[in-house]
Amino acid sequence: MGVLKKFEQRLEGLVNGTFAKVFKSEVQPVEIAGALQRECDNNATIWNRERTVVPNDFIVELSPPDFERLSPYSGQLGDELSGMVRDYAKQQRYTFMGPIKVHLEKADDLDTGLYRVRSRTLASSTSQAGPAPAAPAPPARPQGGQGGYGYPPAAAPPMPAAPPPGGGRGPAPARPQQGGAGPLPGAQTRRWIEINGQRHQISRPTLVLGRSTEADVRIDDPGVSRRHCEIRTGTPSTIQDLGSTNGIVVDGQHTTRATLRDGSRIVVGNTTIIYRQAEG
């Protein structure tokens, strides 16, 4: 079962359905959870072959109406989102420098249903104990050699190389390819979109969506421009606004370009599009 599906099921049992009532607004918990996963993928830093560090402190900015509605439940929701991030990190073999925390904040410039996610890496006090090392010390590991959530199993990996003598700085840590773990060697990725229950296969490098009959996928919606946006397949796949009148919203955020993952929710005009991909 996927991490996001487990997250949704845990929310269903909280406070006798309280969250089901709260989240009748446009902001959905699974959208925030997906945004946190992308934040990890996009800010992952490779320390060595066995260790990739991701942010552990997340701030979810909400519009004033959504913040007022959700703030009474911020503690429980933050715990559930933190658990989801921990599960996702274990799946992707990511590690953290400190405990995972998710905070809700009010942003006056956001409209109802929209949100932003910011993140940072905060080291715990245990990870900084002892003499100052040449490079950041690794986070504390569970006893007994077993890896906890977000930690790779087996013995602690070697530390990154120290800076060269004379106070100079070594090369910056390499950045991983966005989108998390890539497909298995030889595996073929199938991609498609779902619009109003109808599936449209993506069998070319680019797919133009719009109201024009010349678009690859025609959307009969007055709020959609003739050539509204374009999906570009790759690792990862992306979506690009083509100068449309009303723009695009991807996973709750207005944007002109965004990375897509399986389950990404795209809104153009009054039409919702679900992007899907699977191996094999």
Side-chain angles (χ1 to χ4, degrees), residues 197-225:
Q198 185 175 0
R199 177 181 293 194
H200 302 269
Q201 296 290 341
I202 303 176
S203 56
R204 60 183 68 185
T206 60
L207 186 78
V208 175
L209 292 81
R211 190 161 42 87
S212 170
T213 56
E214 298 178 357
D216 298 318
V217 176
R218 184 173 182 271
I219 302 175
D220 188 11
D221 182 336
V224 174
S225 298

Short mmCIF file of all heavy atoms in Angstrom, two decimals, residues 197-225:
data_model
loop_
_atom_site.label_atom_id
_atom_site.label_comp_id
_atom_site.label_asym_id
_atom_site.label_seq_id
_atom_site.Cartn_x
_atom_site.Cartn_y
_atom_site.Cartn_z
N GLY A 197 -13.01 11.02 -15.78
CA GLY A 197 -13.13 9.58 -15.83
C GLY A 197 -12.61 8.94 -17.10
O GLY A 197 -12.63 7.71 -17.23
N GLN A 198 -12.14 9.74 -18.05
CA GLN A 198 -11.63 9.20 -19.31
C GLN A 198 -10.11 9.22 -19.31
O GLN A 198 -9.49 10.21 -18.92
CB GLN A 198 -12.16 10.01 -20.49
CG GLN A 198 -11.77 9.44 -21.85
CD GLN A 198 -12.42 10.19 -23.00
OE1 GLN A 198 -13.17 11.14 -22.77
NE2 GLN A 198 -12.15 9.79 -24.22
N ARG A 199 -9.51 8.12 -19.73
CA ARG A 199 -8.06 7.99 -19.73
C ARG A 199 -7.49 8.37 -21.10
O ARG A 199 -8.01 7.95 -22.13
CB ARG A 199 -7.65 6.56 -19.38
CG ARG A 199 -6.15 6.31 -19.44
CD ARG A 199 -5.79 4.89 -19.10
NE ARG A 199 -6.06 4.55 -17.71
CZ ARG A 199 -5.59 3.47 -17.11
NH1 ARG A 199 -4.83 2.61 -17.79
NH2 ARG A 199 -5.89 3.22 -15.85
N HIS A 200 -6.42 9.16 -21.08
CA HIS A 200 -5.71 9.55 -22.31
C HIS A 200 -4.25 9.15 -22.15
O HIS A 200 -3.54 9.67 -21.29
CB HIS A 200 -5.81 11.07 -22.54
CG HIS A 200 -7.21 11.59 -22.65
ND1 HIS A 200 -7.88 11.70 -23.84
CD2 HIS A 200 -8.08 12.01 -21.68
CE1 HIS A 200 -9.09 12.19 -23.62
NE2 HIS A 200 -9.24 12.38 -22.32
N GLN A 201 -3.80 8.21 -22.98
CA GLN A 201 -2.42 7.75 -22.91
C GLN A 201 -1.47 8.84 -23.40
O GLN A 201 -1.78 9.59 -24.32
CB GLN A 201 -2.24 6.49 -23.77
CG GLN A 201 -3.04 5.29 -23.30
CD GLN A 201 -2.50 4.72 -21.99
OE1 GLN A 201 -1.36 4.97 -21.61
NE2 GLN A 201 -3.34 3.94 -21.31
N ILE A 202 -0.29 8.90 -22.78
CA ILE A 202 0.77 9.81 -23.21
C ILE A 202 1.83 8.96 -23.89
O ILE A 202 2.60 8.26 -23.23
CB ILE A 202 1.36 10.59 -22.02
CG1 ILE A 202 0.26 11.35 -21.28
CG2 ILE A 202 2.44 11.55 -22.50
CD1 ILE A 202 0.75 12.07 -20.03
N SER A 203 1.87 9.02 -25.20
CA SER A 203 2.77 8.14 -25.96
C SER A 203 3.80 8.93 -26.75
O SER A 203 4.46 8.39 -27.62
CB SER A 203 1.95 7.27 -26.92
OG SER A 203 1.16 8.08 -27.78
N ARG A 204 3.93 10.23 -26.45
CA ARG A 204 4.89 11.06 -27.16
C ARG A 204 5.64 11.93 -26.14
O ARG A 204 5.19 12.07 -25.00
CB ARG A 204 4.17 11.93 -28.19
CG ARG A 204 3.13 12.86 -27.58
CD ARG A 204 2.38 13.65 -28.64
NE ARG A 204 1.54 12.78 -29.45
CZ ARG A 204 0.86 13.19 -30.50
NH1 ARG A 204 0.94 14.45 -30.89
NH2 ARG A 204 0.10 12.35 -31.17
N PRO A 205 6.76 12.53 -26.54
CA PRO A 205 7.53 13.33 -25.58
C PRO A 205 6.76 14.52 -25.02
O PRO A 205 7.00 14.94 -23.89
CB PRO A 205 8.75 13.78 -26.39
CG PRO A 205 8.86 12.78 -27.49
CD PRO A 205 7.47 12.38 -27.83
N THR A 206 5.87 15.11 -25.83
CA THR A 206 5.09 16.25 -25.37
C THR A 206 3.61 16.02 -25.66
O THR A 206 3.26 15.37 -26.66
CB THR A 206 5.54 17.57 -26.04
OG1 THR A 206 5.36 17.46 -27.46
CG2 THR A 206 7.00 17.86 -25.72
N LEU A 207 2.76 16.55 -24.81
CA LEU A 207 1.31 16.42 -24.97
C LEU A 207 0.69 17.78 -24.68
O LEU A 207 0.77 18.28 -23.56
CB LEU A 207 0.75 15.36 -24.02
CG LEU A 207 -0.73 15.03 -24.20
CD1 LEU A 207 -0.92 14.09 -25.39
CD2 LEU A 207 -1.29 14.37 -22.93
N VAL A 208 0.08 18.39 -25.71
CA VAL A 208 -0.53 19.70 -25.57
C VAL A 208 -2.00 19.55 -25.20
O VAL A 208 -2.74 18.79 -25.83
CB VAL A 208 -0.40 20.52 -26.87
CG1 VAL A 208 -1.14 21.85 -26.75
CG2 VAL A 208 1.07 20.77 -27.19
N LEU A 209 -2.42 20.27 -24.17
CA LEU A 209 -3.81 20.27 -23.74
C LEU A 209 -4.40 21.65 -24.00
O LEU A 209 -3.76 22.67 -23.73
CB LEU A 209 -3.93 19.94 -22.25
CG LEU A 209 -3.56 18.53 -21.81
CD1 LEU A 209 -2.05 18.39 -21.67
CD2 LEU A 209 -4.21 18.18 -20.49
N GLY A 210 -5.62 21.69 -24.52
CA GLY A 210 -6.24 22.97 -24.79
C GLY A 210 -7.62 22.81 -25.39
O GLY A 210 -8.12 21.70 -25.58
N ARG A 211 -8.23 23.95 -25.70
CA ARG A 211 -9.59 23.97 -26.23
C ARG A 211 -9.61 23.82 -27.75
O ARG A 211 -10.64 23.49 -28.34
CB ARG A 211 -10.27 25.27 -25.80
CG ARG A 211 -11.76 25.35 -26.06
CD ARG A 211 -12.41 26.44 -25.21
NE ARG A 211 -11.61 27.65 -25.17
CZ ARG A 211 -11.68 28.64 -26.06
NH1 ARG A 211 -12.52 28.54 -27.07
NH2 ARG A 211 -10.93 29.72 -25.93
N SER A 212 -8.47 24.05 -28.39
CA SER A 212 -8.39 23.98 -29.84
C SER A 212 -8.49 22.53 -30.32
O SER A 212 -8.06 21.60 -29.64
CB SER A 212 -7.07 24.59 -30.33
OG SER A 212 -6.86 24.34 -31.70
N THR A 213 -9.04 22.37 -31.51
CA THR A 213 -9.09 21.03 -32.11
C THR A 213 -7.69 20.56 -32.51
O THR A 213 -7.50 19.37 -32.78
CB THR A 213 -9.99 21.04 -33.36
OG1 THR A 213 -9.52 22.05 -34.27
CG2 THR A 213 -11.43 21.34 -32.98
N GLU A 214 -6.73 21.46 -32.54
CA GLU A 214 -5.36 21.09 -32.88
C GLU A 214 -4.58 20.60 -31.66
O GLU A 214 -3.46 20.11 -31.81
CB GLU A 214 -4.64 22.28 -33.50
CG GLU A 214 -5.27 22.76 -34.81
CD GLU A 214 -4.56 23.97 -35.38
OE1 GLU A 214 -3.61 24.45 -34.73
OE2 GLU A 214 -4.95 24.42 -36.47
N ALA A 215 -5.14 20.74 -30.47
CA ALA A 215 -4.46 20.25 -29.26
C ALA A 215 -4.44 18.72 -29.27
O ALA A 215 -5.33 18.08 -29.82
CB ALA A 215 -5.16 20.77 -28.01
N ASP A 216 -3.43 18.14 -28.65
CA ASP A 216 -3.35 16.68 -28.57
C ASP A 216 -4.51 16.11 -27.76
O ASP A 216 -5.05 15.05 -28.08
CB ASP A 216 -2.01 16.26 -27.94
CG ASP A 216 -0.82 16.70 -28.77
OD1 ASP A 216 -0.90 16.57 -30.01
OD2 ASP A 216 0.17 17.17 -28.20
N VAL A 217 -4.87 16.79 -26.69
CA VAL A 217 -6.06 16.43 -25.91
C VAL A 217 -6.94 17.67 -25.81
O VAL A 217 -6.53 18.68 -25.24
CB VAL A 217 -5.68 15.93 -24.49
CG1 VAL A 217 -6.94 15.66 -23.68
CG2 VAL A 217 -4.83 14.67 -24.58
N ARG A 218 -8.12 17.59 -26.41
CA ARG A 218 -9.01 18.75 -26.44
C ARG A 218 -9.88 18.75 -25.18
O ARG A 218 -10.47 17.74 -24.81
CB ARG A 218 -9.89 18.71 -27.68
CG ARG A 218 -10.79 19.94 -27.83
CD ARG A 218 -11.51 19.94 -29.17
NE ARG A 218 -12.33 21.13 -29.31
CZ ARG A 218 -13.59 21.23 -28.92
NH1 ARG A 218 -14.19 20.18 -28.36
NH2 ARG A 218 -14.26 22.36 -29.07
N ILE A 219 -9.96 19.92 -24.53
CA ILE A 219 -10.75 20.09 -23.32
C ILE A 219 -11.84 21.12 -23.60
O ILE A 219 -11.55 22.29 -23.87
CB ILE A 219 -9.87 20.55 -22.14
CG1 ILE A 219 -8.75 19.53 -21.89
CG2 ILE A 219 -10.71 20.73 -20.88
CD1 ILE A 219 -7.77 19.96 -20.82
N ASP A 220 -13.07 20.68 -23.56
CA ASP A 220 -14.20 21.56 -23.86
C ASP A 220 -14.59 22.33 -22.59
O ASP A 220 -15.48 21.93 -21.84
CB ASP A 220 -15.38 20.73 -24.37
CG ASP A 220 -16.53 21.61 -24.88
OD1 ASP A 220 -16.31 22.83 -25.03
OD2 ASP A 220 -17.63 21.08 -25.10
N ASP A 221 -13.87 23.41 -22.36
CA ASP A 221 -14.06 24.21 -21.14
C ASP A 221 -13.78 25.66 -21.51
O ASP A 221 -12.68 25.98 -21.99
CB ASP A 221 -13.10 23.71 -20.05
CG ASP A 221 -13.24 24.45 -18.73
OD1 ASP A 221 -13.73 25.60 -18.73
OD2 ASP A 221 -12.86 23.88 -17.70
N PRO A 222 -14.75 26.57 -21.32
CA PRO A 222 -14.53 27.97 -21.70
C PRO A 222 -13.39 28.63 -20.94
O PRO A 222 -12.85 29.65 -21.38
CB PRO A 222 -15.87 28.64 -21.39
CG PRO A 222 -16.55 27.73 -20.43
CD PRO A 222 -16.10 26.36 -20.78
N GLY A 223 -13.01 28.06 -19.79
CA GLY A 223 -11.90 28.62 -19.03
C GLY A 223 -10.54 28.13 -19.48
O GLY A 223 -9.52 28.53 -18.92
N VAL A 224 -10.52 27.27 -20.49
CA VAL A 224 -9.28 26.71 -21.01
C VAL A 224 -8.90 27.42 -22.30
O VAL A 224 -9.74 27.62 -23.18
CB VAL A 224 -9.42 25.19 -21.24
CG1 VAL A 224 -8.19 24.62 -21.92
CG2 VAL A 224 -9.67 24.47 -19.92
N SER A 225 -7.64 27.81 -22.43
CA SER A 225 -7.17 28.47 -23.64
C SER A 225 -7.00 27.45 -24.77
O SER A 225 -7.00 26.24 -24.55
CB SER A 225 -5.83 29.17 -23.37
OG SER A 225 -5.98 30.17 -22.38
#
